[in-house]
Amino acid sequence: MADSARAAKLAQRIKVVVAEGLRKRVKDPRVEGITVTDARVTNDLQHATIYYTVFGDETAATDARTGLERAKGVLRAEVGKNITVRLTPTLEFVADEIPVNASNLEALLRVAKERDAKLAEQSAGAEFAGEADPYKKPDDADDA
């Protein structure tokens, strides 16, 4: 078993090698809009998961997934040439959902900001139901 620090270093190296391989070695036009965002390697250095995003719509994402599956052998050979481990890890490509989740979160934050603004607008002319400061102070003279 390798340590997790070595696996993390290897994952970063694999990320760079796969990105360069997509740019230089793979001539498939379906993979041109792909950005490699992250890579993870298991602690035994046998399996690598590469996360990617695709610029475009759903058809571009589907085409990119197909292109990556077809180019997997070329990319694995490229990884094998450029890393120094006894066995070349298998490659698995996973579409990165972080940009989609981030846009959903931004939309939720925008809605919350609009609701806060509407609430502030409604409470602009409001007054306290009782006194402004209903709490007793130590200097209050309460000799009851």
Side-chain angles (χ1 to χ4, degrees), residues 19-72:
E20 287 294 316
L22 282 172
R23 190 172 62 84
K24 291 181 180 177
R25 299 259 307 160
V26 179
K27 304 298 181 201
D28 193 345
R30 296 178 289 194
V31 299
E32 287 178 357
I34 292 177
T35 302
V36 177
T37 57
D38 195 15
R40 305 253 171 94
V41 178
T42 58
N43 282 344
D44 63 356
L45 309 179
Q46 296 296 309
H47 305 286
T49 304
I50 293 109
Y51 296 93
Y52 67 94
T53 58
V54 180
F55 182 73
D57 55 353
E58 272 305 310
T59 58
T62 306
D63 291 344
R65 188 177 314 117
T66 305
L68 281 173
E69 287 301 316
R70 291 190 50 102
K72 191 183 281 190

Side-chain angles (χ1 to χ4, degrees), residues 81-96:
K81 288 182 209 171
N82 290 297
I83 62 171
T84 56
V85 291
R86 188 169 53 97
L87 298 172
T88 303
T90 59
L91 302 180
E92 178 185 3
F93 294 98
V94 176
D96 197 355

Side-chain angles (χ1 to χ4, degrees), residues 97-114:
E97 297 297 325
I98 289 177
V100 174
N101 293 340
S103 66
N104 290 340
L105 186 59
E106 285 178 5
L108 290 173
L109 288 173
R110 192 176 320 110
V111 168
K113 188 175 181 179
E114 290 171 1

